[in-house]
Amino acid sequence: MTKWAKSLIRLSTFEVETLQKRLAEVVTRRTHAEMKIATLDAEYELECVRAAEDPMLSHSLSAYKRGFQHRRDTASSELDLIAREEDGVRDSLGMAFEDLKKFEHVAEITHLKRVANDKRAENAMLDEVSLRMSRQA
């Protein structure tokens, strides 16, 4: 394999690995955002149950609901942003992986052509040696 092919493959592999790490970080952030929304929903359900049991808490439930809705909307918009970022990273990773495979394919074809040329030259030399031997005999 030629030096340029090794360098391209090494660079492409590094890019793929970097994007995989970034994707893992984005997926972790998305999971945390989903957990935050689930926690907010569970807290709201708990407050609704408490308000149903205690009439004093039912008066403040509407204010709690407005605060909850604001926090949930913020968390949902953050989750949407992270989901779009994840899609972009996945697309970039797919393209980087395709590039890596193209470089590997070109390197393999180059190697196979070199091997075929070497075999062809070796066969030509062997043919020439056998012709000389048959002429001498």
Side-chain angles (χ1 to χ4, degrees), residues 16-17 30 43 63 71 83 91 116 124 131 135:
V16 167
E17 290 171 353
R30 179 180 48 86
E43 289 173 353
R71 289 184 295 171
D91 291 343
L131 281 174
R135 285 183 191 161

Side-chain angles (χ1 to χ4, degrees), residues 21 23 31-32 40 52-53 68 74 84 88-89 114:
K21 289 175 188 173
L23 179 62
T31 303
H32 285 289
L40 287 172
E53 293 173 356
F68 157 77
T74 302
R84 280 185 256 135
V89 172
R114 185 177 303 122

Side-chain angles (χ1 to χ4, degrees), residues 42-89:
E43 289 173 353
Y44 179 69
E45 290 297 320
L46 182 62
E47 287 299 317
C48 286
V49 169
R50 285 183 185 163
E53 293 173 356
D54 187 0
M56 292 296 285
L57 290 177
S58 63
H59 294 294
S60 63
L61 184 62
S62 62
Y64 183 84
K65 184 177 181 180
R66 284 193 303 274
F68 157 77
Q69 195 62 43
H70 175 70
R71 289 184 295 171
R72 190 173 196 296
D73 290 344
T74 302
S76 293
S77 64
E78 181 181 328
L79 181 62
D80 291 342
L81 182 66
I82 292 171
R84 280 185 256 135
E85 182 181 358
E86 182 181 358
D87 290 341
V89 172

Side-chain angles (χ1 to χ4, degrees), residues 1 5 9 102-114:
M1 191 179 319
I9 290 172
K102 286 177 190 174
F103 294 143
E104 288 176 344
H105 181 69
V106 167
E108 182 65 23
I109 287 178
T110 303
H111 173 72
L112 291 175
K113 284 181 180 179
R114 185 177 303 122

Side-chain angles (χ1 to χ4, degrees), residues 93-133:
L93 181 60
M95 289 187 294
F97 192 71
E98 286 176 10
D99 289 343
L100 174 62
K101 290 302 167 192
K102 286 177 190 174
F103 294 143
E104 288 176 344
H105 181 69
V106 167
E108 182 65 23
I109 287 178
T110 303
H111 173 72
L112 291 175
K113 284 181 180 179
R114 185 177 303 122
V115 168
N117 284 338
D118 291 347
K119 284 183 180 180
R120 196 173 306 122
E122 182 182 359
N123 284 338
M125 288 188 329
L126 289 174
D127 288 344
E128 185 178 332
V129 167
S130 67
L131 281 174
R132 286 184 184 175
M133 289 178 71

